């Protein structure tokens, strides 16, 4: 079932190998015989596909990726290496947008992602860049929905039943608590976190923990930063930025001026200040 490029198109036969202690060894097929894979799909020869999975003609799947039973992968969808997709996920479906008229928009998923049961991820729309995009090493729990044109970085955790509307952007290392809902066009900065059942209708700056309905800033994500190797001094400076934003009664412009004045106090933290400043400069929906 392998073509000259080494990509498996189809072919579900069993091949017999040699003898071991007088017993035949069977190399079981990587693709279950009940899976429906369009012959135009491009799958690396190491991809595993479970029973009753359906893979469409414009799908490309990289080495080491495992597609579970009853999954549907469709659309102009590319998955990188070593992803694990659990049963009943729907990946690359058309966007839930009434303006969508069948344009060839895309979904791009990086490497090492875990996508659990009943997750739905849609392709993009031409009203944006035409692509929904996920980075690497993300942990997407059951029943999560990632709508059209979302942009997700890497090392993100989305707990059970998180719902992302269209055009949502999540930075690296974001954690969203279970049953959280995110309004369209909202951005969540790197290392930010939400509590259980949070409703987000405004942007969440980097490093901030937010919670509630509607969401309010509660603290910084100090425990997450410690787990990622941030020093106590860096965390202290990030707390200073948080206090300037939320505890000093300053306008946003005044807070940004004082945050800028922190540059140079700790060399390791200048990148953290730049991350915060760049985010605040483009917070078009306002911040929590």
């Amino acid at each position: 079932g392998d073509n000259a490029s080494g990509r498996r198109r189809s072919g579900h036969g069993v091949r017999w190998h040699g003898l071991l202690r007088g017993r035949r060894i069977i190399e079981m097929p990587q693709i279950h015989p009940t899976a429906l894979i369009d012959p135009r799909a491009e799958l690396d020869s190491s991809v595993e596909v479970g029973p009753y999975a359906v893979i469409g003609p414009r799908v490309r799947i990289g080495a080491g990726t495992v597609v579970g039973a009853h999954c549907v992968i469709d659309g102009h969808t590319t998955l990188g290496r070593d992803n694990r997709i659990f049963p009943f996920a729907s990946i690359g479906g058309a966007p839930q947008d009434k303006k969508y008229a069948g344009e060839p928009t895309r979904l791009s998923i990086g490497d090492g992602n875990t996508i659990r049961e009943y997750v739905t991820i849609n392709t993009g729309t031409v009203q944006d860049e035409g692509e929904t995009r996920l980075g690497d090493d993300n942990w997407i729990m059951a029943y999560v929905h990632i709508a059209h044109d979302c942009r997700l970085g890497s090392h993100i955790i989305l707990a059970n039943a998180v719902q992302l509307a269209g055009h949502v952007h999540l930075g690296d290392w974001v954690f969203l608590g279970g049953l959280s809902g995110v309004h369209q066009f909202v951005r969540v900065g790197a290392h930010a976190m939400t509590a259980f059942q949070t409703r987000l209708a405004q942007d969440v700056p980097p490093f901030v923990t937010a919670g509630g309905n509607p969401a309010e800033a509660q603290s910084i994500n100090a425990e997450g930063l410690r787990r990622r190797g941030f020093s106590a001094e860096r965390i202290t400076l990030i707390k200073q930025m948080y206090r300037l934003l939320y505890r000093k009664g300053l306008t946003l412009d005044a807070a940004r001026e004082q945050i800028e004045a922190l540059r140079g106090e700790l060399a390791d933290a200048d990148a953290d200040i730049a991350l915060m400043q760049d985010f605040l400069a483009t917070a078009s929906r306002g911040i929590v």
Side-chain angles (χ1 to χ4, degrees), residues 9-185:
R9 299 278 187 164
S10 59
H12 312 311
V14 175
R15 294 194 294 271
W16 293 90
H17 282 279
L19 295 173
L20 176 63
R21 296 180 182 176
R23 300 177 64 185
R24 282 182 172 178
I25 302 169
I26 301 175
E27 180 186 343
M28 298 301 293
Q30 304 259 17
I31 298 176
H32 195 275
T34 62
L36 298 177
I37 301 175
D38 191 285
R40 291 166 290 179
E42 297 184 11
L43 278 62
D44 184 88
S45 59
S46 62
V47 170
E48 298 180 28
V49 181
Y52 303 103
V54 179
I55 298 177
R58 297 175 297 276
V59 174
R60 300 174 61 192
I61 304 179
T65 290
V66 178
V67 178
H70 298 276
C71 290
V72 176
I73 305 178
D74 203 4
H76 290 79
T77 295
T78 301
L79 291 99
R81 300 175 60 92
D82 300 319
N83 295 290
R84 180 81 186 275
I85 305 173
F86 281 72
F88 300 100
S90 177
I91 310 298
Q96 297 180 100
D97 188 324
K98 292 182 72 174
K99 298 184 295 300
Y100 181 69
E103 299 91 349
T105 55
R106 306 187 63 83
L107 167 63
S108 176
I109 297 175
D111 303 332
N113 296 285
T114 296
I115 299 172
R116 295 299 305 238
E117 297 83 355
Y118 297 99
V119 167
T120 55
I121 309 176
N122 295 159
T123 58
T125 66
V126 294
Q127 285 73 37
D128 202 317
E129 295 180 15
E131 183 178 49
T132 303
R133 190 162 56 242
L134 283 71
D136 304 326
D137 299 309
N138 296 303
W139 187 262
I140 313 297
M141 297 189 195
Y143 294 96
V144 166
H145 175 62
I146 300 172
H148 59 86
D149 303 295
C150 286
R151 306 278 191 276
L152 276 64
S154 298
H155 309 290
I156 290 166
I157 298 175
L158 302 183
N160 293 314
V162 165
Q163 306 292 292
L164 305 183
H167 314 279
V168 167
H169 290 197
L170 306 182
D172 295 341
W173 299 103
V174 163
F175 176 92
L176 299 185
L179 297 170
S180 292
V182 186
H183 193 281
Q184 61 184 350
F185 294 102

